[in-house]
């Protein structure tokens, strides 16, 4: 279990002092009864009715769980509901029309607020427009948009008419968008002319146009939001539609929310897996929304009066669940920020918290480490007393960063929830309940009530307290992925393993330890997936981009420890007749940027005469990770070509 990046069993097992949640928080918490863990365990799977009760169902479900076709589990079968109705209409109907649904912060001094009434109007108008363009139930609509309110509007408009959305992070390249459009057979694209970063306008539309040129099936309609106005010149060819014009054409129209079966797809999201192809994780309407709402209620402690800020981009699962669906299902106010945390100054985040009186702030360890590096003077410039709860997600958080967050952002008065989950799980799985459980900095906490997460050894048996193993989930849960789009076989193969008793166990791809109190400390990925600053990348995806470069014979990509972060290392051997030149190195880096995304570009490209291989010809990645991180190489006796190791070490040193 010492393979993956960031794995530090010694550190993880070191004693950390438990911190009780502040009394003032517990008193007001949505969930504060410690018996909840036991109550859920002894009433499984019916315990999940409590989550489903947070939603409005158009017709009641017959069964909480249908496990007759494992691992194709179904939740709340027979029930019907609409996600947009649950996130918008019911709050308006209940008298919340003037409450802020979305508070958006753009460039300096640029803000927009959507009340639930505003959101209702625009979601309806855009739903009417999509229908008019031909979008039918179950047609996949691809959304390639930056952090602007039109993105959640488009998601909810799709949900309203029963069209699954596939959001592609705006940082992905044209090629990556083309692949995702093609794999989902998506005939509709909603995009945007661009966005602002550090006060500068960035073009998104040209990437979208390039993707459209590449896709070999017919993308019937493209809608473009005008974010930049004259800055880029918003001239659309006649076959593309302007979002604002569509709203005008459908002003005031209403579209009845389509009742969806609980198991109908709400969305799909492409994420990196262990092969060269991104996988389309599908989520079902009822179970996903129930878990999103329940965890927002029990872990984020959200109430309708709260202003919540999850700083993740909506292009990732965190943004789907905790910028859009969870907070809006509960009728809270969700905050969106288009920019970066250090522009125009390093206090930008705290200024937004202060100005908007944010109650709950949820971010990633990589951001917290940056805040820590910049210094406490920045949060100190602002009144952060509105904060009640802090959260983190996406990577292991080192105890020092945790403590800094707790003290300098939370003033020692806000619980910190370290929430472990994944694109595949849909919502949070392991975390302390902030009104119930003591916190241990660096450890995510116990599995949430109703979640049967277990750390097991290679044989599938739970490890003893203090041991390390594979993080798995022994029972299904409502927010789980239903399949990989168009690839049931890969879903069964990649996500599940059979226990000796024949039961299915979900395998997360992470290594973890568990302590005597059942607290899980996640160590990091142990498969061929990298987590770089909280962003998920497949080593095979990067490798297949690199081997496409002329002159490259072979490539192996690994994640190397770079302090608490992970850096992408590419080892490359060249074809006969090609030099390991600076020019080739640049071409490799550029190609990765163009075929996947700029953030996937390798930090280092190391040319090696050959790559270390076992006798059966498999590249020994463990060794390459160790070389990149400067760690002990361990046992190398299985190598067919041990002589290359010294040369690779020298190449890494000389770079
Ligand atoms: O390695 C784990 C890490 O992020 C991976 C999931 O990535 P993604 O599907 O992009 O979803 C990210 C946000 C939900 C996991 O396999 N991870 C997520 N949360 C934590 C974490 N690692 C340690 N601690 C966490 N709290």
């Amino acid at each position: 279990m010492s393979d993956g990046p960031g794995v530090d069993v010694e550190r993880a097992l070191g004693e950390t002092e438990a911190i009780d949640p502040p009394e003032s928080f517990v008193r007001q918490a949505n969930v504060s009864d410690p018996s909840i863990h036991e109550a859920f365990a002894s009433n499984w799977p019916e315990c999940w009715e409590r989550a489903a009760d947070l939603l409005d169902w158009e017709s009641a479900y017959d069964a909480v769980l249908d496990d007759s076709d494992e691992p194709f589990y179904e939740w709340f079968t027979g029930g019907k509901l609409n996600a947009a109705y649950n996130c918008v209409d019911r709050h308006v109907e209940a008298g919340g029309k003037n409450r802020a649904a979305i508070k958006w912060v753009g460039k300096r001094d640029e803000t927009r607020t959507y009340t639930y009434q505003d959101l209702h109007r625009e979601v309806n108008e855009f739903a009417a427009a999509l229908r008019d363009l031909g979008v039918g139930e179950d047609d996949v609509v691809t959304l390639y948009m930056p952090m602007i309110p039109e993105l959640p509007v488009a998601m909810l408009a799709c949900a309203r008419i029963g069209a699954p959305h596939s959001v592609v992070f705006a940082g992905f390249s044209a090629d990556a968008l083309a692949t995702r459009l093609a794999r989902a057979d998506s005939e509709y694209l909603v995009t945007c002319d661009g966005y602002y970063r550090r006060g500068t306008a960035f073009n998104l539309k040209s990437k979208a146009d390039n993707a459209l040129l590449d896709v070999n099936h017919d993308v019937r309609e493209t809608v473009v939001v005008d974010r930049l106005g004259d800055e880029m010149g918003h001239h659309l060819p006649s076959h593309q539609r302007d979002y604002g014009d569509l709203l005008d054409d459908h002003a005031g129209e209403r579209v009845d929310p389509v009742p969806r079966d609980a198991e109908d797809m709400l969305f799909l999201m492409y994420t990196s897996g262990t092969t060269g192809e991104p996988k389309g994780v599908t989520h079902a309407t009822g179970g996903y929304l129930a878990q999103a709402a329940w965890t927002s209620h029990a872990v984020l402690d959200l109430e309708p009066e709260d202003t919540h800020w999850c700083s993740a981009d909506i292009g990732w699962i965190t943004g789907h669940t905790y910028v859009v669906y969870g907070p809006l299902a509960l009728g809270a106010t969700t905050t969106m920020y288009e920019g970066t945390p250090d522009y125009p100054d390093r206090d930008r985040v705290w200024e937004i918290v202060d100005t908007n009186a944010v109650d709950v702030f949820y971010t990633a360890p990589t951001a917290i480490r940056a805040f820590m590096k910049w210094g406490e003077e920045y949060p100190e410039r602002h009144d952060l007393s509105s904060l009640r709860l802090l959260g983190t997600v996406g990577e292991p958080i080192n105890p020092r960063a945790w403590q800094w967050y707790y003290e300098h952002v939370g003033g020692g008065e806000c619980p910190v929830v370290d929430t472990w989950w994944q694109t595949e799980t849909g919502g949070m799985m392991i975390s302390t309940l902030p009104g119930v459980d003591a916190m241990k900095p660096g450890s995510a906490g116990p599995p949430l009530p109703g979640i049967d997460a277990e750390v097991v050894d290679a044989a599938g048996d739970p490890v003893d307290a203090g041991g390390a193993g594979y993080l798995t989930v022994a029972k299904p849960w409502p927010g789980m992925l239903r399949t990989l789009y168009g690839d049931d076989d890969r879903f069964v193969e990649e996500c599940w393993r059979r226990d000796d008793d024949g039961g299915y166990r979900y395998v997360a791809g992470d290594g973890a330890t568990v302590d005597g109190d059942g607290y899980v400390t996640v160590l990091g990925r142990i498969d061929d997936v990298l987590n770089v600053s909280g962003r998920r990348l497949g080593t095979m995806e990067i490798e297949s981009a690199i081997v496409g470069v002329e002159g490259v014979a072979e490539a192996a990509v690994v994640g190397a420890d770079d302090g608490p972060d992970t850096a992408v290392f590419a080892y490359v051997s060249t074809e006969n007749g090609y030099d390991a030149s600076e020019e080739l190195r640049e071409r490799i880096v550029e190609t990765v940027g163009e075929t996947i995304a700029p953030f996937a570009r390798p930090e280092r490209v190391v040319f090696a005469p050959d790559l270390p291989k076992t006798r059966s010809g498999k590249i020994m990645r463990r060794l390459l990770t160790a070389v990149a991180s400067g760690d002990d190489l361990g046992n190398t006796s299985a190598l067919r070509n041990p002589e290359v190791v010294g040369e690779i070490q020298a190449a890494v040193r000389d770079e």
Side-chain angles (χ1 to χ4, degrees):
M1 295 299 300
S2 59
D3 252 353
V7 175
D8 185 351
V9 177
E10 299 290 305
R11 189 215 85 208
L13 292 177
E15 279 299 298
T16 39
E17 213 175 304
I19 302 170
D20 283 326
E23 209 25 65
S24 55
F25 182 90
V26 175
R27 246 181 283 122
Q28 62 77 57
N30 285 341
V31 175
S32 57
D33 182 351
S35 70
I36 186 169
H37 285 290
E38 178 46 38
F40 267 55
S42 59
N43 182 34
W44 194 92
E46 279 70 26
C47 58
W48 285 108
E49 286 186 19
R50 194 155 156 188
D53 283 349
L54 291 171
L55 306 178
D56 272 24
W57 294 79
E58 172 120 359
S59 54
Y61 48 86
D62 311 313
V64 173
L65 170 66
D66 176 352
D67 57 2
S68 56
D69 183 22
E70 296 174 303
F72 297 92
Y73 301 98
E74 298 190 349
W75 287 86
F76 310 121
T77 45
K80 284 188 184 292
L81 77 167
N82 183 281
Y85 176 82
N86 273 279
C87 290
V88 188
D89 303 48
R90 63 172 179 157
H91 308 310
V92 174
E93 288 168 12
K97 68 176 182 187
N98 288 325
R99 198 161 59 232
I102 299 173
K103 279 191 161 186
W104 176 79
V105 182
K107 278 187 303 185
R108 190 124 199 92
D109 298 326
E110 187 191 22
T111 60
R112 271 153 76 184
T113 298
Y114 281 62
T115 64
Y116 273 95
Q117 181 64 41
D118 298 332
L119 189 59
H120 186 257
R121 187 184 319 109
E122 194 159 322
V123 167
N124 268 284
E125 288 171 355
F126 195 52
L130 288 175
R131 264 221 182 132
D132 206 29
L133 294 178
V135 179
E137 221 180 315
D138 296 316
D139 287 344
V140 175
V141 179
T142 300
L143 310 177
Y144 183 54
M145 294 164 84
M147 284 291 277
I148 53 174
E150 289 82 355
L151 174 52
V153 167
M155 292 162 77
L156 292 165
C158 288
R160 193 168 194 87
I161 59 172
H165 53 73
S166 167
V167 180
V168 178
F169 174 55
F172 275 119
S173 66
D175 283 10
L177 172 61
T179 309
R180 285 156 179 74
L181 277 163
R183 300 199 103 220
D185 291 320
S186 179
E187 298 180 324
Y188 301 93
L189 173 67
V190 184
T191 185
C192 177
D193 55 358
Y195 53 89
Y196 289 96
R197 266 300 119 83
R198 302 177 167 277
T200 305
F202 276 81
N203 191 322
L204 187 70
K205 176 73 175 7
S206 59
K207 284 201 286 178
D209 284 338
N210 285 337
L212 289 170
L213 290 177
D214 258 17
V215 179
N216 52 14
H217 72 272
D218 185 26
V219 173
R220 289 206 265 177
E221 294 286 355
T222 299
V223 179
V224 185
V225 176
D226 181 2
R227 161 77 184 113
L228 302 178
D230 292 338
E231 191 115 22
M232 289 268 166
H234 187 71
H235 307 298
L236 299 182
S238 59
H239 63 279
Q240 296 187 344
R241 323 269 174 172
D242 175 72
Y243 177 90
D245 289 348
L246 288 178
L247 292 191
D248 288 346
D249 294 347
H250 296 274
E253 286 182 27
R254 293 282 172 271
V255 174
D256 286 340
V258 172
R260 297 280 281 167
D261 281 341
E263 278 298 311
D264 281 343
M265 200 200 309
L266 177 61
F267 67 87
L268 72 161
M269 159 153 274
Y270 282 91
T271 188
S272 298
T274 53
T275 72
E277 296 284 336
K279 53 185 192 181
V281 168
T282 67
H283 281 291
T285 309
Y288 169 82
L289 200 61
Q291 192 159 340
W294 164 250
T295 47
S296 298
H297 167 84
V299 182
L300 295 178
D301 198 49
L302 289 183
E303 288 283 354
E305 294 72 33
D306 282 332
T307 299
H308 172 55
W309 184 13
C310 165
S311 71
D313 193 288
I314 294 175
W316 303 98
I317 191 71
T318 309
H320 275 53
T321 310
Y322 299 109
V323 178
V324 183
Y325 286 110
L328 295 180
L330 296 182
T333 300
T334 191
T335 311
M336 285 177 70
Y337 174 46
E338 187 193 36
T340 50
D342 57 348
Y343 185 84
D345 201 352
R346 291 172 166 179
D347 68 340
R348 182 67 165 141
V349 166
W350 317 122
E351 183 191 24
I352 294 171
V353 169
D354 187 354
T355 314
N356 294 282
V358 169
D359 298 274
V360 178
F361 180 61
Y362 188 41
T363 194
T366 182
I368 298 168
R369 287 195 288 270
F371 300 146
M372 185 166 85
K373 204 161 70 195
W374 298 338
E376 59 240 41
E377 65 198 84
Y378 296 102
E380 273 168 11
R381 282 188 198 167
H382 296 278
D383 176 5
L384 305 183
S385 61
S386 60
L387 289 170
R388 182 173 86 244
L389 176 75
L390 301 173
T392 127
V393 60
E395 316 159 78
I397 180 162
N398 42 319
R400 219 161 70 80
W402 192 103
Q403 287 286 0
W404 188 92
Y405 193 35
Y406 182 67
E407 281 165 29
H408 296 291
V409 180
E413 287 175 2
C414 304
V416 174
V417 286
D418 173 359
T419 61
W420 176 86
W421 59 291
Q422 307 178 299
T423 306
E424 292 86 340
T425 72
M428 297 167 182
M429 301 288 280
I430 299 177
S431 167
T432 50
L433 285 169
V436 172
D437 303 310
M439 301 165 275
K440 298 187 189 184
S443 171
L448 287 173
I451 300 289
D452 200 6
E454 280 181 347
V455 181
V456 301
D457 60 20
D461 297 318
V463 301
D464 294 332
Y470 302 89
L471 183 52
T472 68
V473 190
K475 290 195 192 117
W477 64 99
M480 56 176 271
L481 75 167
R482 293 308 193 262
T483 190
L484 298 178
Y485 191 73
D487 202 346
D488 287 348
D489 291 344
R490 186 174 173 193
F491 166 67
V492 177
E493 255 164 53
E494 215 172 290
C495 303
W496 303 91
R497 61 167 282 173
R498 302 295 288 268
D499 280 342
D500 289 342
D501 64 5
Y504 279 90
R505 179 182 285 278
Y506 173 76
V507 183
D510 280 320
T513 65
V514 60
D515 73 7
D517 298 323
Y519 276 51
V520 176
T521 296
V522 180
L523 302 169
R525 301 291 309 198
I526 46 163
D527 55 6
D528 293 331
V529 173
L530 302 180
N531 190 331
V532 179
S533 304
R535 282 170 180 168
R536 187 164 155 172
L537 292 168
T539 54
M540 308 270 264
E541 272 173 79
I542 306 177
E543 285 165 11
S544 56
I546 295 176
V547 295
V549 175
E550 192 189 324
V552 171
E554 260 189 323
V557 167
V558 297
D561 289 349
D562 181 15
D565 295 312
T566 299
V568 178
F569 256 66
Y571 294 89
V572 173
S573 63
T574 53
E575 271 178 39
N576 262 344
Y578 285 88
D579 284 341
S581 63
E582 207 41 50
E583 193 204 333
L584 182 58
R585 187 192 311 275
E586 274 167 29
R587 224 167 336 118
I588 289 169
V589 172
E590 250 345 278
T591 303
V592 174
E594 278 162 19
T595 38
I596 305 173
F599 62 81
R601 289 191 291 226
E603 189 112 327
R604 309 236 345 230
V605 176
V606 178
F607 287 113
D610 196 3
L611 299 176
K613 295 199 186 105
T614 61
R615 285 188 190 88
S616 60
K618 246 186 104 192
I619 296 173
M620 219 166 151
R621 299 161 166 286
R622 179 183 64 72
L623 204 76
L624 291 170
T625 306
V627 172
S629 302
D631 292 343
D632 182 45
L633 300 187
N635 188 350
T636 57
S637 61
L639 275 185
R640 185 181 70 190
N641 52 353
E643 68 285 356
V644 301
V645 176
E647 296 178 48
I648 291 173
Q649 280 176 312
V652 169
R653 267 197 311 271
D654 296 346
E655 286 291 309

